[in-house]
Amino acid sequence: MPPIVSIKDLVKIFPGGTRALDGVTLDIQRGEFVVLIGLSGSGKSTLLRCINRLVDPTSGLVVFDGIDVTAADRTAIRHVRRRIGMIFQQFNLVRRSSVFGNVLAGRLGYRSTWRTIAGRPTTGDVAAAFENLGRVGIADRAFGRADALSGGQQQRVGIARALMQKPELMLADEPVASLDPATSHSVMKYLEEINKKDGITVICSLHFLSLARRYATRVVALKGGKVAFDGKPDAIDERRFKEIYGEDAEEVEIGPGRSQPQTMSANEAALRALADDASHMDPGVGR
């Protein structure tokens, strides 16, 4: 069976000359739970955003389920993004809107223009929203405001919203970076469940090696925009760890519970690109 995602010689150079990705080549098989690790600035977030074209690569190839994403036009990209859910580090919720409304936003890419303007979800969308909120354990908060929730609860809303797309691939960009250890495991278990029970392929970037070892079926480490490791989680011993993190190895926390390392904020170019597709857009961006 062909891979669900095939990446070849991917390069991304941002204005100013920063080379975020430097010839990345990877195949992601269906059903894998792939965790990306590496220091801040290693290229993890950029790689995720190149897969669904929230960031345009400088060169190279990204193929999703046989579709050349790098060459796709706006219409084709919109259809690709319907099939790829995304979970963000900062949740990207409309904070003053209800939990229910935020989850329904996951269907915007499927809704007709008049329903979007009128704000009238279908009966099926309403049922699916409650089902997905139930899956992440917060159906009872459906009509409360998103900003009344804890960080972990907000991230669960983000997962429910992404599930509304009925995705074949889930991208998660540092989904537990701002959460405490117990909540981090709670969120990761939801991702593990949709991977194992729903068969959804997951690509998730993380800082914590212990979480990668616990949840990943495969770990890909990036260093300076290049692949520094690609293999099973238990193959990352102390030597490999130091190879991945270099001189910063002693400063990197390998598991939640002590001080958490500084995380890389989303690139401004990626945030602007969110406006290209409503199903991935943070409606609060630009306000």
Side-chain angles (χ1 to χ4, degrees):
M1 182 179 295
I4 190 169
V5 177
S6 185
I7 301 166
K8 185 174 182 181
D9 298 327
L10 197 65
V11 173
K12 176 59 183 180
I13 304 173
F14 284 106
T18 300
R19 186 177 288 264
L21 297 174
D22 191 8
V24 172
T25 296
L26 291 169
D27 282 338
I28 308 298
Q29 303 301 324
R30 294 178 187 275
E32 286 193 294
F33 194 125
V34 178
V35 169
L36 305 177
I37 63 171
L39 289 170
S40 294
S42 62
K44 303 186 301 296
S45 292
T46 302
L47 178 58
L48 288 175
R49 285 165 166 76
C50 283
I51 291 173
N52 59 5
R53 273 277 298 280
L54 291 180
V55 167
D56 289 324
T58 303
S59 63
L61 186 69
V62 176
V63 176
F64 168 71
D65 195 25
I67 301 168
D68 183 351
V69 176
T70 45
D73 60 19
R74 181 181 291 269
T75 300
I77 285 297
R78 184 177 177 85
H79 285 285
V80 165
R81 287 177 182 165
R82 287 178 179 177
R83 302 167 61 193
I84 302 176
M86 190 157 190
I87 301 164
F88 299 90
Q89 176 180 336
Q90 299 300 332
F91 320 134
N92 281 21
L93 303 181
V94 184
R95 294 177 56 83
R96 289 182 289 183
S97 182
S98 70
V99 168
F100 181 68
N102 273 280
V103 173
L104 279 177
R107 293 300 293 172
L108 289 179
Y110 291 87
R111 293 170 64 183
S112 64
T113 302
W114 78 267
R115 281 194 178 273
T116 299
I117 294 173
R120 296 180 179 176
T122 66
T123 301
D125 286 350
V126 171
F130 277 107
E131 178 184 353
N132 288 317
L133 282 170
R135 288 192 66 176
V136 296
I138 51 173
D140 61 326
R141 306 297 296 272
F143 298 110
R145 280 175 44 146
D147 59 6
L149 301 180
S150 68
Q153 289 171 326
Q154 289 187 55
Q155 193 58 285
R156 284 190 269 166
V157 175
I159 294 172
R161 178 182 58 191
L163 286 173
M164 289 293 288
Q165 298 174 227
K166 299 182 179 179
E168 298 161 54
L169 173 66
M170 188 74 81
L171 306 178
D173 185 18
E174 298 281 4
V176 300
S178 59
L179 305 180
D180 61 73
T183 308
S184 295
H185 277 287
S186 176
V187 168
M188 292 302 297
K189 285 176 181 177
Y190 287 120
L191 293 178
E192 182 180 51
E193 177 183 317
I194 67 175
N195 172 249
K196 291 184 175 180
K197 292 187 177 180
D198 298 38
I200 296 173
T201 306
V202 175
I203 308 176
C204 174
S205 63
L206 294 173
H207 264 86
F208 297 134
L209 184 57
S210 64
L211 291 179
R213 286 172 170 160
R214 164 63 181 82
Y215 295 99
T217 60
R218 174 184 173 192
V219 171
V220 174
L222 296 179
K223 182 179 181 181
K226 297 178 180 289
V227 175
F229 174 85
D230 184 356
K232 295 294 185 182
D234 56 9
I236 304 178
D237 54 18
E238 184 176 355
R239 179 182 65 82
R240 288 280 195 181
F241 182 71
K242 289 182 178 179
E243 287 177 358
I244 294 165
Y245 289 101
E247 295 178 358
D248 298 296
E250 293 182 0
E251 301 176 11
V252 175
E253 177 61 82
I254 63 172
R258 288 172 285 179
S259 60
Q260 185 167 320
Q262 182 179 0
T263 57
M264 180 172 62
S265 61
N267 187 277
E268 287 299 321
L271 290 177
R272 288 195 295 270
L274 295 179
D276 287 342
D277 187 83
S279 64
H280 290 76
M281 184 176 65
D282 175 4
V285 172
R287 292 183 180 178

